[in-house]
Amino acid sequence: MQLTQSVHKAVRERPEDVATIFEGQHTTHAAFADRVARIAAVLRQKGIQPGDRIAILAEGSDRYVQILFAIWWAGGVINPVNARWSVAEIAYSLRDSETTILFVDSAFAEVAAELRLETPSLETVIHMDAGADGDNLDQLLQQATPVVDAMRRNDDLAAIMYTGGTTGFPKGVMLSHRALVAGAMSTLASAPHPGDLPSLHVAPFFHIGGLAAIVQYALRAAPQVIIAAFDEPTALRLIEECKIADIFVVPTMLRRLLDHPDRSSRDCSSLRSVRYGAAPIDSALLADAMEAFPDAGFYHLYGQTENSPMISILPPADHTTDPDVPRMRSAGRSIVGCEVRIVDGGGQEVPVGYVGQIAVRGPMMMDGYWNKPDETAKAIVDGWLMTGDAGRMDENGNLYILDRVKDMIISGGENIYSTEVENALSTFPGVVLCAVIGKPDPEWGEAVHAVIQTVDGADLDRDALTAHCRERIAGYKRPRSYEFVSAMPLSPAGKILKRDLREAMERA
């Protein structure tokens, strides 16, 4: 399995069809492949050897996608830099991976100068935009002759995806060509898709969700429509103008699309597939989305970077607007080729319906964490990837994600999974987002504390909230205290950063 195979196939079978669309620029598969081979030539001229790490720090663009494939074509390993990190976090990832070349666009040109000072291994910075000082990609390409594909494949390393920068040092997830291709093919096999119809990128490319979408769309030879960064009016306009059939969003993006005033005036009837994941979704938002886009099939995706990323999918056939249907609280069944089981603290599989840690294995699994053998040994046990997520499985194989193991609240000896409480709170009028964390309590050990985002941070009726929860969950699970905010701390993937909430609570 090789990531560049999709480029060869598209050129051979449909050279004049559109590969990418960005800011009105349409690039054919033939032109895309030529660009990839010439950027790879630039990298070879800069002295990269097979397995060398090359980073990209940029907003989304057609050039970003070209550079990704060019790195693989040249035999390198991609390090897609989280553009929302601090300079210190980025510098750590570059030093840790011994990255030698960094691509940047104009938005990060000044940051690149700082990174050169803090990263001894960084030999070259290539500017992606025309007219930039220093090594300019357009100028370098004028002297470049296309080179042949290095044909890296199977267990050859393809990517180091750094995760966890909000909780200490980031960890570099090592993903091979096999893992990324197998993950994409298994996802496509498990979730019916709109074939080669246009697909829109709104997730950042440095996130595994965005990178996986690139690989999936390339395998389908679907036109990849790209925006620099997510914004509602541009996304809605492109859905209408490009007749977008497929889109992957996190729930916060979906809510923003639904609430934007342009939505009512834009024709979104071309949508055939709306895939959502990376964070929990509340039933009210899902019902609104299914009503707004009635011609689209909805897919709930569950995964993590370490599994390239998909683990399970709840397909359209299992979706309903009735939140009381049990499977609607699940993440569906495992994808093709991915084994899933629920294990106890000793790694033994537990009976159906029991709660434990979710463990997975399959060809899409990571090789480990870069330069972190101890962390790798904790994550991969007897060939199984320990996800760190607590869950259970029903008799039909549906997977229910209850919490991160580390986020479980123990109050008076009872295990409380924050997602259960959050699901109850999310249906209360006025709740925009919510997160539940454990608050130290002298009597119970921990008490359930709810942080709720409302419009302008306005308080809601605490007694009414408590009564609302009491009708839906056991009494010991209901929040004992509330906090109202105007905004939540979010990761680039749209996940609420509970660590930040805990730290703020400790400072208060």
Side-chain angles (χ1 to χ4, degrees):
M1 293 182 176
Q2 70 185 86
L3 287 157
T4 55
Q5 191 271 341
S6 61
V7 179
H8 293 285
K9 188 174 190 294
V11 170
R12 185 168 53 251
E13 297 177 359
R14 48 177 69 191
E16 299 308 314
D17 285 359
V18 174
T20 60
I21 301 173
F22 177 66
E23 294 184 345
Q25 176 68 41
H26 290 58
T27 302
T28 65
H29 288 293
F32 180 87
D34 177 72
R35 186 85 172 187
V36 164
R38 288 193 296 120
I39 297 173
V42 169
L43 293 173
R44 298 260 182 90
Q45 291 168 5
K46 292 296 181 180
I48 78 151
Q49 299 297 313
D52 283 355
R53 278 72 64 196
I54 301 162
I56 311 174
L57 176 57
E59 295 181 330
S61 68
D62 51 357
R63 286 197 166 192
Y64 198 121
V65 180
Q66 293 163 7
I67 291 166
L68 281 177
F69 280 94
I71 293 170
W72 293 323
W73 193 281
V77 176
I78 63 168
N79 172 11
V81 176
N82 189 325
R84 298 177 185 174
W85 275 358
S86 68
V87 171
E89 288 172 315
I90 295 172
Y92 172 81
S93 72
L94 299 181
R95 289 194 305 269
D96 183 61
S97 61
E98 298 180 319
T99 289
T100 57
I101 296 176
L102 171 67
F103 286 90
V104 295
D105 64 10
S106 57
F108 299 97
E110 293 183 7
V111 173
E114 296 182 62
L115 291 172
R116 294 198 78 154
L117 296 175
E118 298 190 32
T119 313
S121 65
L122 190 58
E123 300 170 359
T124 304
V125 174
I126 300 177
H127 295 268
M128 297 162 58
D129 299 307
D133 295 332
D135 278 329
N136 179 272
L137 184 56
D138 281 346
Q139 293 174 350
L140 293 171
L141 287 173
Q142 291 175 8
Q143 311 299 321
T145 301
V147 294
V148 297
D149 189 348
M151 303 298 284
R152 299 267 287 179
R153 61 181 64 205
N154 296 335
D155 291 333
D156 290 328
L157 188 60
I160 300 179
M161 306 287 292
Y162 278 88
T163 68
T166 58
T167 55
F169 290 118
K171 293 181 293 187
V173 177
M174 296 189 293
L175 299 175
S176 65
H177 281 256
R178 165 192 45 76
L180 285 167
V181 175
M185 293 178 66
S186 294
T187 300
L188 294 176
S190 303
H193 55 80
D196 59 0
L197 296 178
S199 300
L200 178 64
H201 287 292
V202 294
F205 291 158
F206 59 76
H207 182 258
I208 187 62
L211 178 64
I214 290 174
V215 178
Q216 291 168 33
Y217 297 164
L219 286 173
R220 288 164 37 197
Q224 305 197 40
V225 184
I226 305 161
I227 56 179
F230 175 72
D231 75 273
E232 303 92 311
T234 301
L236 290 166
R237 174 178 60 80
L238 289 173
I239 290 172
E240 178 179 73
E241 292 179 358
C242 299
K243 299 189 183 307
I244 297 299
D246 182 51
I247 188 171
F248 166 68
V249 293
V250 299
T252 51
M253 291 177 178
L254 190 56
R255 170 50 66 196
R256 287 168 57 184
L257 286 173
L258 294 179
D259 290 347
H260 197 274
D262 285 2
R263 202 256 301 171
S264 60
S265 62
R266 291 294 184 183
D267 180 5
C268 298
S269 61
S270 61
L271 280 175
R272 291 294 177 267
S273 170
V274 176
R275 296 176 293 146
Y276 63 92
I281 191 170
D282 67 76
S283 57
L285 169 56
L286 180 58
D288 288 346
M290 292 176 69
E291 181 180 357
F293 307 126
D295 297 320
F298 281 76
Y299 299 83
H300 178 190
L301 312 180
Y302 163 61
Q304 59 179 206
T305 304
E306 289 86 343
N307 208 54
S308 300
M310 285 303 101
I311 293 173
S312 66
I313 295 176
L314 184 73
D318 285 342
H319 273 69
T320 172
T321 55
D322 184 354
D324 294 327
V325 174
R327 67 172 181 272
M328 287 306 298
R329 295 189 289 276
S330 82
R333 299 184 179 94
S334 61
I335 64 169
V336 173
C338 180
E339 294 180 74
V340 179
R341 66 178 185 175
I342 311 298
V343 300
D344 59 22
Q348 298 301 307
E349 189 167 6
V350 301
V352 169
Y354 280 67
V355 174
Q357 183 171 181
I358 299 168
V360 303
R361 70 178 178 185
M364 64 288 296
M365 200 174 78
M366 72 169 181
D367 293 332
Y369 295 115
W370 178 267
N371 283 340
K372 287 183 167 54
D374 292 343
E375 295 284 349
T376 297
K378 294 175 185 176
I380 302 177
V381 180
D382 295 330
W384 290 85
L385 173 65
M386 311 304 290
T387 66
D389 289 331
R392 62 179 176 84
M393 192 179 292
D394 67 18
E395 64 278 4
N396 296 313
N398 289 304
L399 189 61
Y400 294 77
I401 317 302
L402 300 177
D403 217 339
R404 291 293 291 171
V405 170
K406 64 184 179 182
D407 288 338
M408 185 176 68
I409 301 166
I410 303 177
S411 181
E414 295 280 3
N415 293 343
I416 300 171
Y417 299 100
S418 60
T419 51
E420 292 183 282
V421 188
E422 289 159 357
N423 286 337
L425 288 168
S426 68
T427 57
F428 188 84
V431 173
V432 177
L433 289 174
C434 62
V436 166
I437 57 178
K439 184 176 184 178
D441 185 271
E443 182 178 0
W444 302 103
E446 287 185 300
V448 178
H449 177 70
V451 182
I452 297 174
Q453 178 181 331
T454 62
V455 177
D456 299 325
D459 286 10
L460 301 178
D461 188 321
R462 286 170 168 79
D463 291 339
L465 275 166
T466 298
H468 179 82
C469 288
R470 189 178 289 117
E471 293 175 357
R472 290 161 175 79
I473 54 177
Y476 69 88
K477 298 178 183 180
R478 65 177 176 79
R480 294 316 198 257
S481 57
Y482 297 93
E483 177 184 349
F484 300 98
V485 298
S486 58
M488 287 283 196
L490 300 175
S491 75
K495 296 180 181 179
I496 297 173
L497 298 175
K498 292 189 177 182
R499 175 186 171 89
D500 289 8
L501 297 178
R502 292 191 190 96
E503 290 178 349
M505 181 177 63
E506 290 169 0
R507 292 193 301 267

